[in-house]
């Protein structure tokens, strides 16, 4: 927080020296910048740090302040200096010579090690279900293990790898202007590799080229040959044989069977033995189908982000201590939605949307929970380490109908950087805006008006839907403030009409207890994959973070009664003697005074000129999700149930499209929002999933069969929506 405050102060001082200032509605920063740089002085954000709670040793040992000063490198820029040789001929053959000098570690025969692994030995000795028993000869089992292992992988061929690296280097130089890699992030990976433990890489697949681009980047940086998992169903036998020699992995078909099936027990044991020391990416053959489209378009720049590595062993030890009591969304919110109670239970939400696959079902329930929560950690780190692109910023401004694109584009870029997120662009401000509008040309209409000004109008229909998808990439940057703003809107919904003036809403006093309760209800309603809360983080801690963000950005002002100590004056506070030490067995409310003092705090909305528009901006960031949920509540009495999940999702999506044509809510006409609404309603107890003759079927819950309960659900959701 201090870093952010100092950065804001330096930015204001720098702008005040530049001359004329133009007031922006969104911030008091001053004049618009003539150039947008990917950092603010020395306070360029370093993104992708691992969890300090679950992996404190990795958080400290694999990071150093000096790596923040390292810049970017272009991994496809190979010159004479990148080889050991010099001369005119070397400059012509530098790509080929560079590929010959790449270090490819020798591949060791792992068949004997896999045979001796615990899981395979259990199958051979008959201790596992479907095992061979005593009648099988171990030599036969060893041959079977070798057969399965040969289907999964083959020893990489160094010559083919060097030839492929040379061809891929030429291909990437024809396809991209540059491929940027942050040296600081790569230095952390090298430091983790020096520990001697195997490295496991997980990718979020933001591009169809990840399957070939990322292994090339890591090979070029000296990490080694990366094993890439490919789908065997999309590969011909010839292509499968070639990819295995280049480091590809193909899971045997019997390994994906149900754990209860006696078939494939040995194959699953071999797969588990193979997948401890390998880094996996799921490759996609869409690369081959997209080459024609990429080749015809203009060359672009690419940036590869790597989050901070962490020790999996350290995570397993520390993560189990963070588990507490949890309740389902139905237990937490359904009584409140139906008006049966008004108090949110003091517990965390249990919502697991991780796909339950065969290998995951083979684990114990405790290990399944560990894997699921590890996935949330990884997803949180991947989103935090991903740069915000200029199209996301421009789409947000166009979707919310802002006027001064130049000034507000500069403001939104600085706000993104100050919140610890990186941006993936730099350059002159006017050129950036023009280039971004050219990228969004299929979704917007550019109109010339008088005095040479340019009017940018989003195209209705699919154009608005595409802009909403792009603007969703900016939501993690302002997520805490957006949740807080929508919670405040829900708290004021029953007191002040939404169309009332801002001054009237600013009169209302909001207690800290009411704010906490409203934020908690919204946190429970929103899906987990949108919030990306770390599993080790308490919801009440996040509520305090949301409240702090609202105060910091100037939307909330603490109400101080005459003669009381200012809320910001912490220097004169003294600890009470009974708060210093308590007996370990004393479970009395010895700290009730502090909690009562916190609950008595009051806040009101700030009356600064920029606050109404900024408040509306934050509320609109969450409006596509909330409006889609509200429309899903309206659709409950129109949908045809029972139906399969995919069938009902198609029904809801068609309803969202029809509503978009009637009311202009095109940002809600998204099939992903329809699926998210169905999953949330299923967890809330609105929909029930029951077995059917053709598979699981969705039924309407008896608790929401009446129109009154459906209207209560719609009103509960719409209280958080700001018009």
């Amino acid at each position: 927080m201090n870093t952010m405050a100092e950065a804001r102060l330096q930015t204001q001082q720098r702008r005040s020296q530049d001359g004329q200032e133009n007031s922006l509605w969104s911030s008091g920063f001053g004049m618009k910048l003539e150039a947008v740089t990917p950092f603010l002085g020395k306070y360029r954000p370093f993104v992708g740090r691992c969890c300090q709670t679950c992996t404190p040793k990795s958080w400290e040992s694999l990071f150093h302040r000096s790596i923040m000063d390292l810049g970017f490198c272009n991994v496809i820029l190979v010159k004479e200096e990148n080889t050991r040789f010099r001369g005119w001929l070397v400059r012509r053959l530098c790509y080929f010579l560079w590929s010959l000098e790449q270090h490819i570690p020798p591949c060791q025969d792992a068949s004997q090690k896999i045979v001796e692994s615990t899981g395979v030995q259990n199958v051979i000795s008959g201790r596992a279900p479907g095992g061979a028993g005593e009648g099988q000869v171990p030599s036969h089992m060893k041959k079977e293990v070798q057969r399965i292992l040969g289907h999964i992988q083959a020893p990489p061929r160094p010559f083919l790898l060097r030839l492929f690296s040379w061809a891929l280097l030429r291909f990437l130089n024809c396809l991209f202007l540059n491929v940027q890699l942050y040296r600081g992030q790569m230095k952390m990976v090298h430091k983790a590799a020096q520990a001697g433990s195997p490295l496991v890489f997980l990718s979020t697949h933001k591009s169809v080229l990840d399957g070939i681009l990322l292994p090339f980047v890591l090979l070029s940086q000296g990490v080694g040959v990366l094993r890439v998992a490919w789908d065997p169903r999309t590969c011909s036998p010839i292509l499968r044989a070639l990819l295995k020699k280049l480091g590809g992995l193909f899971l045997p078909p019997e390994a994906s069977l149900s754990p209860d099936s006696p078939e494939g027990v040995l194959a699953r044991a071999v797969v588990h033995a193979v997948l401890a020391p390998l880094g996996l990416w799921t490759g996609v053959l869409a690369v081959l189908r997209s080459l024609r489209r990429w080749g015809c378009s203009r060359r672009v720049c690419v940036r590869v982000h790597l989050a901070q590595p962490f020790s999996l062993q350290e995570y397993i030890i520390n993560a189990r201590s963070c588990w507490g009591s949890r309740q389902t969304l139905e237990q937490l919110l359904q009584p409140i939605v139906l008006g049966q109670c008004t108090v949110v239970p003091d517990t965390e939400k249990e919502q697991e949307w991780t796909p339950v696959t065969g290998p995951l079902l083979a684990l114990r329930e405790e290990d399944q929970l560990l894997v699921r929560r590890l996935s949330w950690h990884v997803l949180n780190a991947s989103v935090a380490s991903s740069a915000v692109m200029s199209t996301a910023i421009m789409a947000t401004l166009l979707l919310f109908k802002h006027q001064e694109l130049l000034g507000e584009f500069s403001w939104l870029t600085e706000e993104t950087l100050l919140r610890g997120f990186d941006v993936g662009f730099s350059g002159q401000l006017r050129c950036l805006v023009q280039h971004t509008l050219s990228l969004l040309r299929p979704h917007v209409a550019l109109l010339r008006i008088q005095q040479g000004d340019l009017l940018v109008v989003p195209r209705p229909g699919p154009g608005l839907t595409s802009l909403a998808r792009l603007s969703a990439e900016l939501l993690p940057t302002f997520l805490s403030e957006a949740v807080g703003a929508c919670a405040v809107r829900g708290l004021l919904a029953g007191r002040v009409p939404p169309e009332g003036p801002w001054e009237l809403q600013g009169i209302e006093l909001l207690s800290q207890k009411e704010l906490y309760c409203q934020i908690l209800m919204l946190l429970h309603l929103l899906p987990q994959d949108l919030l990306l809360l770390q599993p080790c983080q308490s919801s009440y801690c996040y509520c305090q973070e949301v409240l702090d963000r609202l105060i910091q950005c100037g939307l909330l002002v603490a109400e101080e009664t005459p003669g009381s100590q200012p809320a910001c004056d912490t220097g004169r506070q003294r600890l009470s003697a009974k708060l210093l030490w308590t007996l370990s067995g004393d479970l009395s409310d010895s700290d009730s005074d502090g909690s009562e003092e916190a609950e008595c705090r009051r806040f009101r909305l700030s009356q600064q000129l920029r606050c109404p528009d900024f408040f509306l901006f934050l509320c609109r960031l969450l409006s596509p999700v909330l409006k889609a949920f509200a429309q899903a509540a309206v659709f409950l009495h129109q949908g045809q149930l029972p139906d399969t999940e995919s069938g009902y999702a198609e029904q809801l999506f068609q309803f969202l499209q029809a509503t978009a044509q009637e009311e202009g809510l095109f940002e809600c006409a998204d099939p992903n929002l329809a699926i998210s609404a169905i999953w949330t309603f299923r967890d809330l107890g609105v929909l029930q999933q029951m077995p059917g003759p053709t598979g699981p079927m969705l039924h309407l819950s008896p608790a929401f069969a009446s129109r009154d309960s459906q209207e209560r659900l719609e009103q509960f959701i719409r209280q958080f929506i700001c018009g």
Side-chain angles (χ1 to χ4, degrees), residues 431-450:
C431 296
L432 272 174
V433 172
Q434 292 176 352
H435 176 68
T436 305
L437 290 176
S438 67
L439 296 177
L440 297 177
R441 190 63 185 269
H443 314 306
V444 298
L446 306 179
L447 305 176
R448 292 283 182 181
I449 56 178
Q450 58 181 356

Side-chain angles (χ1 to χ4, degrees), residues 3-17 40-43 418:
T3 301
M4 181 182 293
E6 293 175 6
R8 289 182 185 273
L9 181 59
Q10 287 192 0
T11 305
Q12 293 174 350
Q13 292 175 351
R14 183 181 72 245
R15 289 185 165 194
S16 63
Q17 296 172 0
L40 290 177
K42 64 179 180 179
Y43 295 108
L418 290 172

Side-chain angles (χ1 to χ4, degrees), residues 487-501:
V488 172
R489 176 62 261 165
L491 196 56
L492 294 174
R495 307 180 185 181
V496 182
E499 63 276 2

Side-chain angles (χ1 to χ4, degrees), residues 399-454:
L399 191 65
F400 301 153
K401 301 178 182 179
H402 297 297
Q403 304 296 327
E404 299 291 336
L405 292 181
L406 285 177
E408 293 169 0
F409 185 92
S410 175
W411 162 77
L412 207 49
T413 301
E414 290 191 352
E415 289 292 327
T416 300
L417 293 169
L418 290 172
R419 282 165 173 78
F421 284 80
D422 201 0
V423 295
F425 55 88
S426 63
Q428 294 294 323
L429 179 60
R430 187 174 296 274
C431 296
L432 272 174
V433 172
Q434 292 176 352
H435 176 68
T436 305
L437 290 176
S438 67
L439 296 177
L440 297 177
R441 190 63 185 269
H443 314 306
V444 298
L446 306 179
L447 305 176
R448 292 283 182 181
I449 56 178
Q450 58 181 356
Q451 298 179 355
D453 293 334
L454 187 66

Side-chain angles (χ1 to χ4, degrees), residues 117-137:
S117 64
T118 305
V120 175
Q121 286 295 322
N122 289 339
V123 175
I124 293 177
S125 61
R127 289 195 295 268
E134 298 180 357
Q136 287 282 359
V137 181

